[in-house]
Amino acid sequence: MTITVLTLLKRREGMSKADFIAYYETKHRLIGEKVLAGWASRYERLHLHPLDGQTLDHDFDVVLEIDFPDQATCDACFAAMADPATMDEIVEDELQLFDRSRMRTYAVERHRSAL
């Protein structure tokens, strides 16, 4: 059974949406690929653009989805990421990109309709 972890992320104050996406996709993504390799089966970033064109204070800028083949693999990956050197690398780069106080991570329970 696939396990999906979803994280909502907000860019740091003063960073434009274009600069945020460029940094994420050319730099931060590479750290994600490195730490998730061998554990995750999918690492996808869904950059959000409000349909009404307005950015509100409570909005997030990107939804991160990561799939794992099972709960044991997910748990092992997060345990490996907790290694101090790995965590230092992740946090140091996150400070360039995110408002870390706004990060929210969830386990996903899917219910799909057949249309």
Side-chain angles (χ1 to χ4, degrees), residues 24-106:
Y24 202 138
E25 295 303 322
T26 60
K27 295 185 173 122
H28 193 72
R29 169 188 59 88
L30 301 175
I31 295 171
E33 289 173 356
K34 181 174 78 171
V35 300
L36 295 170
W39 305 103
S41 57
R42 184 174 67 97
Y43 170 47
E44 189 168 357
R45 292 138 335 266
L46 306 163
H47 294 281
L48 304 175
H49 302 276
L51 289 176
D52 63 6
Q54 296 180 12
T55 299
L56 304 176
D57 287 342
H58 64 272
D59 286 347
F60 290 93
D61 294 295
V62 65
V63 176
L64 171 63
E65 290 185 351
I66 305 169
D67 285 347
F68 297 93
D70 52 50
Q71 189 63 54
T73 304
C74 177
D75 294 344
C77 179
F78 279 93
M81 287 191 319
D83 170 75
T86 302
M87 190 53 63
D88 286 348
E89 179 182 13
I90 293 168
V91 170
E92 182 179 323
D93 200 61
E94 286 177 349
L95 291 170
Q96 304 303 310
L97 191 58
F98 303 119
D99 175 349
R100 294 190 78 245
S101 71
R102 299 277 312 275
M103 291 180 165
R104 293 287 292 154
T105 298
Y106 303 88

